């Protein structure tokens, strides 16, 4: 088997423990296999009943490939915070779902101490003060987007509102010259599409091409900001760079920053508006008091998070959720399932923007890999929901929404609305 075939057959990002659709469908027929079932289109559209079933069977469930899956809030929290579980194994012979040479996920693929060092370097770029400085940019961009839609005739909320916002914000934050931002967004979208798994050899080739282009663009950008620093994240990273941090480490970090804020934020806006419009009483609450927007953000991230799962490998034999996990076994934490755990959230299926426990959600993960961009995401989402409620109070859905056919990332591909 060639390297490409091997990678195409094996590649899946965090949700790697399932195989391609045909195998999944077959596996589901012959056995009640949780990770295979999650790969089926019906469950990708609405995975929540399956998460409930998995949780009802126990704190942890064995997968066909000998790994584990859990939709239990306490298990997910404990594992994400534990030093016994990591994003990559230390044993080079252990099964590794991520093709490291092809998809360098930077922070997301590093264990301490490399992770600690890089996170310290990247931290200053995301301080609350710096994020607050972006509030007016976000606000301005949101109003431009609402100005441009034809709300009376109807528009696609995903294409015309949710997608353009994160791209505009992250390219501005990174300080990408305007002339390059469209190309960067395009290549970024190709790489982001691989986070849920590589679908074919063609997809793999497009991914490799996009990676090379992004690398070249970020090499130029890092050099430019070394010569001409500005008030942006890339300039901050270059300024913090020390002798132990080579450009080979900064490049994947820049790529991750570009990608991590794309699909996540756009799907969170889509999921949020979908939930608000499906629950008109909750939309009314927000319209009557737009200052509730930050609470809406937490409840949206709890109720229907864009990142549905993550995974960790056991570095040593460990006990988790009352189960013995052996060294080198992977555990998939179903973040979205944990967010509906009735042990933590009363009446978890109810979308309730006044819920006080919403912030217990795991949408941004937990532990050392807790989302670095969470302050930015919260700022963008709160502003997006508030501006929509203020500018389009009569917003309503005018047709069916088409959902993404992906497992790790969840959200609408289209959401036709009018207002
Ligand atoms: C609603 C929006 C977002 C959601 C739901 C989200 C979710 C997540 C999750 C679940 C993780 C951890 C995955 C794991 O534990 O395996 C993560 C990590 C990360 N996120 Fe976000 N994210 C969002 C937006 C952003 C934005 C806007 C940025 C930056 C511009 C960003 C940058 C990062 C980075 C750099 C990491 C890696 C942190 C580390 O490994 O130490 N995210 N995010």
């Amino acid at each position: 088997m060639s390297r490409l075939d091997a990678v195409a057959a094996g590649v899946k990002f965090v949700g790697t423990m399932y195989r391609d659709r045909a195998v999944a469908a077959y596996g589901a027929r012959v056995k009640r296999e949780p990770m295979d079932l999650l790969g089926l289109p019906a469950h990708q559209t609405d995975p929540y009943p399956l998460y409930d079933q998995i949780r009802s069977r126990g704190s942890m469930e064995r997968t066909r490939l000998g790994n584990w899956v859990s939709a239990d809030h306490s298990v997910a929290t404990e594992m994400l915070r534990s030093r016994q579980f990591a994003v990559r194994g230390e044993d080079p012979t252990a099964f590794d779902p991520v093709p490291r040479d092809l998809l360098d996920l930077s922070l997301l693929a590093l264990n301490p101490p490399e992770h600690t060092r890089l996170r310290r370097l990247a931290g200053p770029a995301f301080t609350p003060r710096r994020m607050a400085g972006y509030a007016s940019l976000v606000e301005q961009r949101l109003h431009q987007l609402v100005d441009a839609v034809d709300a009376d005739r109807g528009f696609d909320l995903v294409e015309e509102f949710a997608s353009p916002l994160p791209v505009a914000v992250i390219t501005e934050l990174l300080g990408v010259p305007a002339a390059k931002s469209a190309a960067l967004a395009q290549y970024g979208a190709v790489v982001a599409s691989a986070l849920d798994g590589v679908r074919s050899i063609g997809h793999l080739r497009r991914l490799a091409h996009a990676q090379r282009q992004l690398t070249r663009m970020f090499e130029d950008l890092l050099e430019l900001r070394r010569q001409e620093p500005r008030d942006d994240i890339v300039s901050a990273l270059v300024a913090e760079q020390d002798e132990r941090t080579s450009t080979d480490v900064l490049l994947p970090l820049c790529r991750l920053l570009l990608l991590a804020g794309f699909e996540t934020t756009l799907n969170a806006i889509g999921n949020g508006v979908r939930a608000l419009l499906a629950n008109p009483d909750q939309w009314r609450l927000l319209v009557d008091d737009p200052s509730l927007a930050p609470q809406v953000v937490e409840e949206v991230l709890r109720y229907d998070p864009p990142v549905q799962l993550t995974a960790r490998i056991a570095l040593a034999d460990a006990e988790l959720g009352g189960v013995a996990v052996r060294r080198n076994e992977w555990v998939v934490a179903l973040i979205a399932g944990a967010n509906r755990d009735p042990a933590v959230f009363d009446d978890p299926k109810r979308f309730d923007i006044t819920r006080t426990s919403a912030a217990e959600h795991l949408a941004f993960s937990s532990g050392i890999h807790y989302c670095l961009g969470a302050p930015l995401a919260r700022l963008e989402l709160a502003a997006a929901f508030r501006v929509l409620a203020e500018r389009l109070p009569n917003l309503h859905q005018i047709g069916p929404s088409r959902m993404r056919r992906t497992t790790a990332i969840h959200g609408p591909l289209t959401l036709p609305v009018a207002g």
Side-chain angles (χ1 to χ4, degrees), residues 324-338:
V325 178
R326 307 289 301 271
R327 179 167 186 260
N328 289 338
E329 285 177 353
W330 285 86
V331 181
V332 176
L334 296 168
I335 288 175

Side-chain angles (χ1 to χ4, degrees), residues 13-14 80 87 105-110 115 119 122 126 166 170 173 233 253 256-266 268-269 301 305-307 309-312 335 362-366 368-374 376-378 380-381:
F13 172 46
V14 281
L80 293 169
V87 290
L105 292 167
S106 181
L107 284 170
L108 277 174
L110 291 174
H115 176 268
R119 180 103 187 186
F126 285 87
I170 197 66
L173 253 71
I233 290 180
L253 177 63
L256 174 66
L257 292 177
L258 175 72
L259 302 177
F262 256 31
E263 299 276 315
T264 49
T265 312
L266 100 83
I269 296 175
L301 291 173
V307 179
L309 52 84
T310 185
R312 296 290 186 268
I335 288 175
L362 296 176
F364 291 126
S365 189
S366 190
I368 61 168
H369 292 278
Y370 183 83
C371 177
L372 186 63
L376 176 63
R378 287 192 160 108
E380 288 184 62
L381 293 174

Side-chain angles (χ1 to χ4, degrees), residues 293-303 358-359 361 364 378:
Q295 276 173 243
V296 173
V297 173
E298 301 311 317
E299 178 63 349
V300 165
L301 291 173
R302 181 199 73 81
Y303 181 77
H361 67 72
F364 291 126
R378 287 192 160 108

